[in-house]
Amino acid sequence: MNLKALNKSLWAFHFNSGSCNGCDIEIIAALTPRYDVERFGIKLVGTPRHADILLLTGPVAMDMKEKLERVYAQMPSPKAVMLIGNCGNSGDVFYESYSLVGPADRIIPVDVYVPGCPPRPEAIIHGVVKVWQKLEKEAKK
Amino acid sequence: MNELIIYQLASVPAIAALGIILGLLFKGIDRVLAARMQARIGPPIRQPFRDLRKLMIKENIVPKNAVRFVFNGMPLLAVAASITILLYVPIAGFLPLMQGYGDLILLLYLLLIPSLALVLGGFASASPYASIGAQREMVSMISYELPLAVAVASIAWLFSRAMPGIASFSLAAIAANPVWELVGPVGFIGLLALFLILLAVMPGEIGVIPFDTAEAETEIASGMLVEYSGRNLALFYLADAVKTVGFASILIAIFLPYGISGTLSLQGANAVAADALFFLLKLFIVVFIGRVLIRVAVPRLRITQVVKAYWGYATIAALCGLSLIALDAILLAGGC
């Protein structure tokens, strides 16, 4: 399968699993004129069925576990997951909270981790580059 | 006769390829221009080709509860109907391929089919979002059809009166005799109103902001397209691109049928090339006003506002245009 075609047009679906909205704002900031990720063919889509890459924010609250699994299953392959923010990576300030089931990589396979609270848009774009590198490596195999 | 049919059959793939390439190209131009207007750099112009290639290699999911043959069939129908539109309109100075087999009335129905395919595909995908989207799409179809039909009927009436000999609904005949030359000053204003009405119907017809209530990504998760992925989504993407070119070509054939080769006094191949380039320029202007400018300048309307805009303002404006053209005919007949 030619995954290179995927690299030039990643459509992203944004999933908030209980985030404080900080990371979500930074994702939107990456779309604004200053950073403009549409230069690389990246755009936000409204449904997981259209998506190539899942932008996951938040520490995955108990209620969101099942929804996250369903959204991940609804995405057509080949697909990648990008975990944005400290919450999903480690739990951050919600570490060992009674209402969490995260970190997120216990629930769905994560390809790229972007730490930060919240990460800057540069960091998110850097994460996208990591996704490209990973997909290219898979394409070579 | 047989040779003609073979020639026509051979031309269909060429026109289909032309429509697809032009459609995707204009989609790219649309995205770049929209980005520039928002002070962004925007994707490269060839981005829609990349999107299409990517969608073709993605997995094609059919939901478990969906009606499989409708769900898979409708994208094909949408593309086929969009390409068929191009066979009935004059493109780049050439006469329509199926000239004599269909007229403006047929085109009105062909324009409906891609939207109808979306509606049926949406209902067949068994998703509540898609159902809401499909119902909204039906409502907006009913809304924009009325001013469109009034405008087209006005043009046909003008032709039946001014040139009694010819088939008044034939697009080739309308393109051969520019409408602006058939009317006086009062009728000119009426025609201008109809031209603006058709430009206003264009975003509804091709489903872009402010009239994309049925496909709103942010509120109903892309509406009818919510369950579509991979190849099926690519086909709808293509149908949308080709339909934009089709509708813009109809607009050009009715209101801007002028060529440039006569003015520049060119002959032979030069004249054909000049007319083709001039057609691309006209297409660019129509797509720019009817798609890019409106979608960047205005936010999305609610479905009630869509109905009000089309059934209310647009239809009243179209009826005014019709009255002005009729008044013009009376004035001309009275010898004023």
Side-chain angles (χ1 to χ4, degrees):
Chain A
M1 195 183 290
N2 182 12
L3 286 176
K4 272 205 162 153
L6 202 67
N7 269 353
K8 297 284 173 66
S9 99
L10 284 178
W11 289 3
F13 180 74
H14 170 213
F15 185 87
N16 180 335
S17 67
S19 156
C20 69
N21 227 26
C23 300
D24 314 74
I25 298 274
E26 295 303 315
I27 290 173
I28 301 300
L31 296 168
T32 52
R34 192 172 180 89
Y35 300 99
D36 189 26
V37 288
E38 206 191 350
R39 280 178 295 160
F40 315 118
I42 298 165
K43 70 171 189 179
L44 278 185
V45 291
T47 153
R49 290 272 195 239
H50 300 184
D52 309 305
I53 172 167
L54 183 69
L55 307 178
L56 177 60
T57 60
V60 192
M62 216 180 270
D63 274 354
M64 295 306 280
K65 179 174 179 271
E66 192 197 333
K67 281 111 186 165
L68 178 59
E69 283 164 347
R70 272 179 65 186
V71 163
Y72 181 73
Q74 278 172 347
M75 286 170 62
S77 59
K79 56 189 168 184
V81 177
M82 219 170 115
L83 189 51
I84 293 170
N86 279 349
C87 287
N89 282 310
S90 63
D92 205 25
V93 289
F94 308 112
Y95 182 63
E96 290 196 330
S97 164
Y98 63 92
S99 62
L100 291 193
V101 288
D105 53 4
R106 284 190 199 156
I107 297 151
I108 57 170
V110 174
D111 295 285
V112 172
Y113 300 86
V114 182
C117 185
R120 289 186 59 85
E122 287 98 330
I124 295 174
I125 295 172
H126 185 64
V128 172
V129 175
K130 292 279 177 199
V131 172
W132 285 345
Q133 287 170 349
K134 191 168 173 170
L135 288 174
E136 256 162 36
K137 230 181 247 171
E138 275 171 28
K140 269 179 199 158
K141 268 178 201 169
Chain B
M1 188 61 205
N2 257 336
E3 270 177 27
L4 188 67
I5 291 174
I6 291 167
Y7 159 75
Q8 283 178 332
L9 281 179
S11 304
V12 170
I15 288 192
L18 181 77
I20 289 169
I21 290 171
L22 271 184
L24 290 175
L25 191 68
F26 272 95
K27 229 180 158 100
I29 292 173
D30 165 64
R31 280 178 72 177
V32 172
L33 284 176
R36 291 294 155 94
M37 279 187 234
Q38 294 167 343
R40 292 186 290 121
I41 291 173
I45 287 180
R46 63 180 184 283
Q47 188 61 42
F49 294 91
R50 288 172 168 176
D51 287 349
L52 197 72
R53 207 176 73 196
K54 178 210 70 182
L55 286 174
M56 293 307 271
I57 65 162
K58 291 280 284 186
E59 186 185 1
N60 188 14
I61 299 175
V62 181
K64 203 170 73 184
N65 297 332
V67 187
R68 192 170 256 276
F69 79 98
V70 182
F71 187 83
N72 285 325
M74 284 308 135
L76 286 172
L77 181 66
V79 173
S82 307
I83 289 173
T84 314
I85 292 171
L86 293 178
L87 305 183
Y88 288 97
V89 288
I91 291 176
F94 294 104
L95 284 173
L97 192 64
M98 293 292 185
Q99 192 197 354
Y101 293 101
D103 51 17
L104 264 175
I105 306 271
L106 179 73
L107 275 174
L108 285 186
Y109 283 104
L110 278 176
L111 281 170
L112 270 181
I113 292 178
S115 312
L116 217 54
L118 260 175
V119 168
L120 286 176
F123 277 130
S125 57
S127 158
Y129 288 118
S131 295
I132 293 172
Q135 283 158 16
R136 286 188 183 180
E137 176 70 18
M138 283 194 291
V139 172
S140 46
M141 261 156 67
I142 295 166
S143 318
Y144 65 65
E145 278 302 309
L146 188 58
L148 182 63
V150 171
V152 166
S154 314
I155 301 287
W157 179 81
L158 175 66
F159 263 84
S160 69
R161 205 199 55 78
M163 314 192 112
I166 59 167
S168 52
F169 274 106
S170 156
L171 201 56
I174 292 176
N177 308 285
V179 280
W180 307 100
E181 289 161 18
L182 301 176
V183 293
V186 181
F188 187 85
I189 299 171
L191 278 179
L192 204 62
L194 294 184
F195 183 40
L196 293 178
I197 294 297
L198 283 200
L199 273 179
V201 167
M202 191 171 163
E205 189 76 68
I206 58 183
V208 295
I209 295 172
F211 300 113
D212 73 332
T213 329
E215 288 163 39
E217 290 96 355
T218 36
E219 39 178 308
I220 52 169
S222 302
M224 300 158 289
L225 291 172
V226 67
E227 293 290 346
Y228 278 101
S229 59
R231 199 198 64 217
N232 283 337
L233 183 62
L235 289 177
F236 272 130
Y237 193 81
L238 209 57
D240 174 52
V242 177
K243 196 181 165 187
T244 308
V245 173
F247 191 79
S249 306
I250 294 173
L251 232 161
I252 288 168
I254 297 177
F255 288 106
L256 308 163
Y258 301 98
I260 202 170
S261 54
T263 327
L264 299 175
S265 58
L266 293 171
Q267 299 291 327
N270 281 345
V272 173
D275 275 341
L277 284 177
F278 191 57
F279 175 80
L280 284 183
L281 180 71
K282 289 188 285 186
L283 199 61
F284 173 77
I285 292 169
V286 169
V287 171
F288 180 72
I289 297 173
R291 184 178 175 125
V292 190
L293 201 61
I294 295 185
R295 118 182 145 90
V296 175
V298 190
R300 183 180 299 128
L301 296 176
R302 262 184 286 123
I303 188 69
T304 50
Q305 290 168 325
V306 170
V307 176
K308 200 175 167 191
Y310 278 138
W311 265 18
Y313 307 126
T315 306
I316 290 170
L319 288 174
C320 287
L322 175 60
S323 324
L324 284 174
I325 290 171
L327 185 67
D328 184 69
I330 296 165
L331 287 176
L332 285 181
C336 296

